[in-house]
Amino acid sequence: GSRWAETTMGTNAPGTAVALGEPVQVFGAEHFSRRVHPWTCAAAPVRDPRTGRVLGAVDITGGDGLAHPHSLAFVQAVARAAEAQLALLAPEPDAAAPDTLSA
C-alpha cells in the first residue's frame, strides 16, 4: 500500500477525490509529484450509504492510454456499486430501540 493523501503527495486523483468528495481525473503533469507525471489517474469517492461520510476512493491509474473520459465514468460506476453493496450489508436501524430524541 501507499499513502496518496493530498497532504502527503500533493495533487493526485485518489487524494483529491477524497479531499473534495468528488470524482476527478488527473493527467500527467497535473500531478504534483514529478515522478508520477507519466501517469493518468481517475478516482471517485466511496461514501458510507448511511452517513454520507467519505470512506475512501476507487482509483484507476495508468499511462497515456487511460487518458479517456470513460475512465472517470468507470470509477464512478464502481464506486456507486461499492456503495450499493455497503447499503445491502449495513444493518437496518433497530425499530424496537427507544427513540432517545423524543424521550
Side-chain angles (χ1 to χ4, degrees):
S2 60
R3 185 174 171 100
W4 286 96
E6 279 195 326
T7 55
T8 303
M9 292 299 295
T11 303
N12 67 86
T16 302
V18 168
L20 297 177
E22 298 290 334
V24 64
Q25 193 162 15
V26 178
F27 301 93
E30 292 177 341
H31 290 94
F32 178 78
S33 176
R34 287 183 189 264
R35 66 181 175 197
V36 297
H37 281 188
W39 299 352
T40 292
C41 307
V46 176
R47 296 181 179 279
D48 180 305
R50 300 237 181 259
T51 67
R53 185 175 67 94
V54 174
L55 301 173
V58 173
D59 171 69
I60 185 168
T61 297
D64 291 339
L66 187 66
H68 193 282
H70 290 133
S71 300
L72 188 58
F74 173 73
V75 295
Q76 287 178 282
V78 172
R80 297 305 75 80
E83 291 169 349
Q85 186 63 32
L86 289 170
L88 290 173
L89 298 173
E92 290 295 322
D94 187 1
D99 183 1
T100 57
L101 294 177
S102 62

